[in-house]
Amino acid sequence: MLTKPMDGANHSVVSEFVFLGLTDSWEIQLLLFVFSSTFYVASMMGNSLVMLTVTSDPHLHSPMYFLLANLSFIDLGVSSVTSPKMIYDLFRKHKVISFSGCITQIFFIHVVGGVEMVLLIAMAFDRYIAICKPLHYLTIMSPRMCIFFLMAAWMTGLIHSVVQLAFVIKLPFCGPNVLDSFYCDLPRFIKLACIDTYQLEFMVTANSGFISVGSFFILIISYFIIIVTVQKHSSAGSSKALSTLSAHAIVVVLFFGPLIFFYVWPSPSTHLDKFLAIFDAVLTPFLNPIIYTFRNQEMKVAMRRVCRQLVNYRKIS
């Protein structure tokens, strides 16, 4: 839909964008609907259970679980920014989103992405202190430090998102309004503007790409330092460190893999791009609570306790 501007300019303003979606095949749409809906609901339940378990169990009131609960909260946001709209649009022929809705979606995508990056770095730092400096763990990872990490995460996410939107919020859109995607992807959004956007695309891509790649390498270096430090002290401790870090490493690869592909790969395939976007929006938030609790006996015991309490509460009521 196009509306003419009040200032009499010689171009029209796009008021909505059309998504091409994922596929035109009814069978694949049905499969995607079942797949996406199942994992979206499971992701919401799993991450909510992690948050409920951490907040309700006094044994889990420690820096590591504080950061894990906040990661689960962010994963609720990651799931909810694009997945509900994608699931709703699967069987619709005319998939549209308003201009303000598109800007809002872009804003929250980059906010939750920035927050999650900093939280993953904070969790790596927490494991470094716990494994390499255990006697100073509670002194360094104090409640003040945990709050600092949380505030830094949200400030980073907000600033990153505002900077990204500052580049594009005033762009003129004078006709083309079709996005070959199922959500408002910033690089594709910019390409629809009716001016030369090459430099703007480069700045936006460089901004997100630098943050993604930089954060990824910080995490990889921190893991390497932890492993080398532990190996120098004891081989038994090394295996424990590897076991502890494996969950973190898997989550980091799942989160940063699609991001680095989006912003670093020179000419991405549209189909692969969409597949990774679905993976990032639906599967990763579902897998995070499973990965972090799979090898954590303390967390599994606490979750069983919470589940029993919920079942007993329902029986009483």
Side-chain angles (χ1 to χ4, degrees):
M1 181 182 290
L2 302 176
T3 58
K4 292 187 177 180
M6 300 298 293
D7 59 2
N10 62 352
H11 63 268
S12 298
V13 178
V14 173
S15 63
E16 66 181 23
F17 294 93
V18 179
F19 294 141
L20 292 184
L22 296 166
T23 179
D24 293 325
S25 168
W26 190 88
E27 291 82 4
I28 298 177
Q29 286 177 343
L30 180 61
L31 180 64
L32 285 170
F33 177 80
V34 174
F35 170 84
S36 301
S37 301
T38 301
F39 280 102
Y40 175 67
V41 172
S43 171
M44 298 297 286
M45 292 177 64
N47 284 292
S48 298
L49 181 58
V50 170
M51 292 171 56
L52 178 63
T53 303
V54 172
T55 53
S56 63
D57 195 320
H59 298 95
L60 302 181
H61 292 174
S62 66
M64 181 179 76
Y65 293 113
F66 172 82
L67 295 172
L68 177 58
N70 279 279
L71 181 68
S72 291
F73 177 76
I74 288 299
D75 279 336
L76 292 176
V78 172
S79 296
S80 301
V81 172
T82 58
S83 296
K85 174 67 174 169
M86 178 194 71
I87 295 168
Y88 175 71
D89 281 343
L90 275 172
F91 296 108
R92 300 183 72 204
K93 290 185 177 179
H94 195 52
K95 306 172 178 63
V96 298
I97 187 171
S98 66
F99 182 88
S100 59
C102 196
I103 292 294
T104 302
Q105 198 175 66
I106 291 172
F107 174 77
F108 282 109
I109 286 171
H110 287 271
V111 167
V112 296
V115 173
E116 184 151 351
M117 286 183 198
V118 178
L119 281 178
L120 288 172
I121 292 173
M123 294 174 78
F125 179 79
D126 172 78
R127 290 301 84 203
Y128 168 77
I129 300 300
I131 294 170
C132 300
K133 299 183 179 180
L135 297 179
H136 303 284
Y137 178 72
L138 291 178
T139 303
I140 297 173
M141 292 302 298
S142 62
R144 180 177 294 181
M145 178 62 77
C146 293
I147 297 298
F148 168 77
F149 274 129
L150 185 59
M151 291 180 63
W154 279 100
M155 288 300 295
T156 301
L158 287 169
I159 292 171
H160 167 64
S161 187
V162 169
V163 168
Q164 293 289 72
L165 285 181
F167 288 137
V168 303
I169 194 69
K170 296 296 184 180
L171 284 177
F173 294 90
C174 51
N177 68 334
V178 177
L179 288 164
D180 189 7
S181 183
F182 62 89
Y183 71 104
C184 285
D185 178 38
L186 186 55
R188 289 193 174 92
F189 176 81
I190 294 173
K191 289 180 186 294
L192 295 179
C194 52
I195 59 171
D196 182 12
T197 59
Y198 176 78
Q199 291 184 339
L200 186 58
E201 288 177 53
F202 176 79
M203 285 190 293
V204 167
T205 303
N207 183 10
S208 292
F210 176 77
I211 292 175
S212 300
V213 175
S215 300
F216 180 73
F217 277 108
I218 289 173
L219 288 164
I220 295 300
I221 291 169
S222 68
Y223 294 155
F224 178 76
I225 292 172
I226 293 171
I227 293 170
V228 170
T229 303
V230 174
Q231 283 180 334
K232 288 180 179 178
H233 289 84
S234 72
S235 58
S238 177
S239 61
K240 181 181 177 181
L242 288 171
S243 176
T244 305
L245 291 176
S246 61
H248 294 264
I250 293 170
V251 169
V252 165
V253 171
L254 288 175
F255 177 75
F256 283 98
L259 285 180
I260 292 174
F261 176 86
F262 292 147
Y263 293 106
V264 176
W265 197 263
S267 53
S269 162
T270 301
H271 296 296
L272 183 58
D273 198 3
K274 290 180 180 180
F275 169 77
L276 289 175
I278 295 173
F279 186 88
D280 203 35
V282 179
L283 267 181
T284 302
F286 164 75
L287 291 173
N288 281 358
I290 294 176
I291 292 167
Y292 275 117
T293 58
F294 182 69
R295 293 187 177 181
N296 190 322
Q297 189 62 31
E298 188 178 21
M299 190 70 182
K300 286 192 286 188
V301 170
M303 291 177 89
R304 291 193 198 102
R305 191 182 303 122
V306 169
C307 289
R308 282 197 299 268
Q309 289 174 351
L310 290 174
V311 170
N312 292 334
Y313 176 78
R314 288 188 62 183
K315 287 181 178 178
I316 294 172
S317 60

